[in-house]
Amino acid sequence: METKRNIKYFTAPPISIPSIIGWAIVLVGVICMTMRWMRMFGIIAAIVGFAVVVFASGGKSTDTDLEFQISERIKNLQERSEKKFEVYEKSFLKMLKPINLRGYDFIAKEEPLYFKKGADGVNRTNYFAGCNLIFTSEKMFVFGRRFSLTDETIDGDFMGSYFFNELDKAEIEEGIYETKKGDRTIEIKYYVFRILKADGTNALEMCVDYGADIDKYAEQISRAIVTRQKELAKRAEEAAQRRAEFRAKVEAEKAADAAAAAEGNE
């Protein structure tokens, strides 16, 4: 990962002196191109100016560069999860297909925490997590990867498997990240996706890119937890009833045998 270029993405000023000079040369070139007798000079100046701009910006990553690095790191999470937990498509829960979550981490405990709003309008930090959730008839499997875009030592997997009876619900919490821009304090909204266990602890907690799908995922997971818990409770009750009936049948047979033996001894 190009950590040095990524650090500059977050820390370098949006406009540097060399880039200003480059754009000035481009402007001069464009003006000169409108004059017939200076057209060739204008073309050359514009080319030189663009070259200066490109050179000035070449030392830092772009929005596209970061998104490409992220995509490469989280592209095979479900495949890795299936191999890790030895669970495959034939076992997937029909009412809830696998879910992929992703997002820049605004609640990271590591330092430094960099922030930048990209030219594409995306709010970014230098930490990112992607996660795949797989659901079977009895369990939820979590497999994710969290890493830093600016520190190669921060890069690791997180995982877990939970019976539906261990889970409570999924929820989304809105938070505010505050950052300074000059003398101003800017507030940035972020969203945390949680899947809570019955004991109140987190089976999963991560920042996510917010959208309509996120609300849908939280609703679907919560509904699946309630539905499966009811179905599993009913199954356990039916199994207990069958065991009780079997024990009663065995006891009745024993009693009948004992009675028959007593009659034979008379």
Side-chain angles (χ1 to χ4, degrees):
M1 184 177 288
E2 300 182 34
T3 52
K4 290 183 179 179
R5 296 182 72 241
N6 293 346
I7 291 173
K8 289 183 180 179
Y9 170 89
F10 289 102
T11 60
I15 300 178
S16 62
I17 298 299
S19 63
I20 292 174
I21 294 172
W23 284 116
I25 296 172
V26 170
L27 179 60
V28 170
V30 171
I31 294 172
C32 290
M33 281 191 287
T34 63
M35 306 175 190
R36 182 176 299 179
W37 57 281
M38 294 190 70
R39 184 168 297 166
M40 184 56 66
F41 173 79
I43 293 172
I44 295 172
I47 293 172
V48 171
F50 275 120
V52 172
V53 171
V54 170
F55 177 79
S57 62
K60 66 179 181 179
S61 296
T62 64
D63 299 336
T64 304
D65 291 335
L66 262 62
E67 291 300 325
F68 176 77
Q69 293 172 42
I70 289 166
S71 296
E72 286 296 300
R73 290 203 167 197
I74 64 173
K75 64 182 179 182
N76 62 344
L77 289 180
Q78 182 166 327
E79 179 183 345
R80 293 180 61 198
S81 179
E82 291 178 7
K83 290 180 179 178
K84 172 67 179 178
F85 296 113
E86 297 183 349
V87 55
Y88 304 101
E89 188 172 354
K90 64 181 181 180
S91 301
F92 292 173
L93 189 63
K94 288 185 173 59
M95 70 176 293
L96 188 55
K97 301 300 182 185
I99 290 173
N100 291 309
L101 303 172
R102 51 167 283 158
Y104 290 93
D105 190 355
F106 285 82
I107 57 175
K109 295 180 174 60
E110 299 92 344
E111 294 289 347
L113 177 62
Y114 297 127
F115 166 81
K116 180 178 179 179
K117 184 170 185 176
D120 56 2
V122 175
N123 293 321
R124 293 183 172 89
T125 70
N126 53 317
Y127 300 98
F128 193 91
C131 181
N132 174 258
L133 305 175
I134 292 177
F135 306 87
T136 65
S137 61
E138 294 188 345
K139 299 181 89 173
M140 176 187 74
F141 298 91
V142 178
F143 190 90
R145 185 175 184 180
R146 182 180 177 276
F147 53 91
S148 169
L149 292 160
T150 55
D151 185 346
E152 291 182 351
T153 66
I154 300 174
D155 185 359
D157 297 334
F158 57 92
M159 64 195 77
S161 61
Y162 306 91
F163 288 102
F164 279 107
N165 287 334
E166 297 179 77
L167 302 175
D168 181 22
K169 64 179 179 178
E171 64 179 20
I172 301 165
E173 180 183 349
E174 181 181 300
I176 299 293
Y177 171 75
E178 293 186 351
T179 185
K180 290 285 187 180
K181 188 173 183 180
D183 295 331
R184 293 185 302 150
T185 298
I186 300 175
E187 295 185 341
I188 307 297
K189 286 184 180 180
Y190 65 85
Y191 298 88
V192 178
F193 192 98
R194 289 193 183 91
I195 300 178
L196 298 173
K197 295 166 64 177
D199 63 5
T201 59
N202 297 319
L204 174 68
E205 180 183 49
M206 62 177 287
C207 291
V208 291
D209 298 337
Y210 186 75
D213 284 346
I214 295 301
D215 288 321
K216 181 180 71 175
Y217 292 155
E219 181 183 343
Q220 288 177 338
I221 293 170
S222 295
R223 185 167 62 248
I225 291 170
V226 172
T227 301
R228 292 305 302 155
Q229 285 180 348
K230 288 180 178 178
E231 291 174 351
L232 291 169
K234 183 179 179 182
R235 187 188 302 176
E237 183 181 345
E238 291 173 347
Q241 185 177 347
R242 286 194 299 270
R243 287 195 298 270
E245 290 173 351
F246 177 76
R247 284 196 297 268
K249 180 181 177 181
V250 170
E251 291 300 323
E253 290 175 350
K254 286 181 178 179
D257 290 343
E263 273 188 28
N265 291 331
E266 288 180 357

